[in-house]
Structure formats: structure tokens, C-alpha cells
Amino acid sequence: MVLNFPPTSGEKPGNSPKLPGAGVALLSWGMACESAEITTIVGAAGRMTIESPGHCPTKLTVNIKGHGRGEVGKAMVYEYPMPADTEEITKAGGFNYPNSEGFCYEAAAVARCIGAGKKEAPQYTHAETLVTLKLLEEIQQQLGVKPVGTD
């Protein structure tokens, strides 16, 4: 599946190929198999790969483009290990899904925000949430998916 996203300015993409917000997304997935769950984002300066499992990753690889075609100028790997299971979690049988223990970071961020009297997390603001929702709405429209509650 290929999705096209319009530029965010009034210029036409043909006039300026590097308009912010313009782009194409190529998506593929299967429901009857176990996929690699790898996400790669390619740009003019290089690529970022969110390593498997993509729905709860612990590793990000960034490759900065080199001078020649296909050459990597610099590769950086960022790893985010999961915390060890507590004795209580182990006794209860552990988690059903891989890397579920990562939710402890999200819970800690929420606790910090509440403790500081904040209504949103600086790591992911309300404005960013709205941009994500608009992106999902555009994907649904291009796929022909009707909004929930409509016939």
C-alpha cells in the first residue's frame, strides 16, 4: 500500500521537492503470519530503523548518509533496555506480550507530570497528539475507511 501526503505549504511539490510534510509512505503487513515488525524511515540525510519488535522497541539504529550511493557515513545505535521483572510480576506469571514491562516508563512519566501539576507530558504534547490524529484521518481517507459510527 502506498499513501501520499500533501505538502504543508501552498507550493506545489514539483516546484520544491523538499517541502516539509510532503511525502509518500509504503506500508505492508500481514495478519496470518508473524512479521519482522521493523520500521524504517528514510530521508535525504539518512535513515532511522526502529528495530523489532516495532510495537514496543528497545533499539533504534540511525544511519547518516555517506558521500556515495548506499554508503553509510556514520551509524549510531541507541538501546533502551527493559527493567527486570519484579518478584511479584514473576510470581504472577509474567507479562502476556513482549516488552510490556516498558509501560513502567510511561507510568513514571505520568506520575511526574501529575506531581508537577502538568496537564500534558513535554515528551508528547496535545498538539503532537492532534497531528497524529490528523495523519491517521488522512490514512483512513486514502484507504476509503469510513469513520466509526457512519454508514
Side-chain angles (χ1 to χ4, degrees):
M1 167 191 325
V2 177
L3 302 170
N4 294 298
F5 298 95
T8 54
S9 74
E11 294 185 43
K12 299 205 182 307
N15 297 341
S16 177
K18 294 184 181 181
L19 288 174
V24 174
L26 176 61
L27 310 170
S28 64
W29 67 88
M31 299 303 281
C33 63
E34 188 170 322
S35 66
E37 288 193 56
I38 296 172
T39 303
T40 302
I41 302 161
V42 181
R47 69 182 62 214
M48 296 187 310
T49 302
I50 301 169
E51 306 291 349
S52 183
H55 69 282
C56 52
T58 59
K59 186 175 177 181
L60 171 71
T61 304
V62 178
N63 292 305
I64 305 298
K65 187 177 178 333
H67 294 295
R69 180 168 173 78
E71 289 184 27
V72 175
K74 183 177 182 181
M76 298 163 284
V77 177
Y78 301 93
E79 295 197 49
Y80 305 91
M82 292 288 120
D85 289 350
T86 63
E87 186 178 331
E88 291 83 1
I89 291 171
T90 303
K91 283 182 182 177
F95 293 103
N96 291 328
Y97 301 103
N99 296 356
S100 291
E101 56 272 37
F103 283 119
C104 73
Y105 298 120
E106 193 171 332
V110 169
R112 282 192 306 274
C113 289
I114 291 170
K118 295 181 180 179
K119 293 184 179 182
E120 68 178 7
Q123 296 89 352
Y124 197 65
T125 65
H126 293 147
E128 291 169 315
T129 301
L130 292 175
V131 169
T132 301
L133 291 172
K134 287 180 182 181
L135 176 63
L136 291 172
E137 191 174 66
E138 176 67 26
I139 291 169
Q140 287 178 326
Q141 185 178 16
Q142 288 189 33
L143 293 175
V145 176
K146 294 180 181 178
V148 175
T150 63
D151 293 326

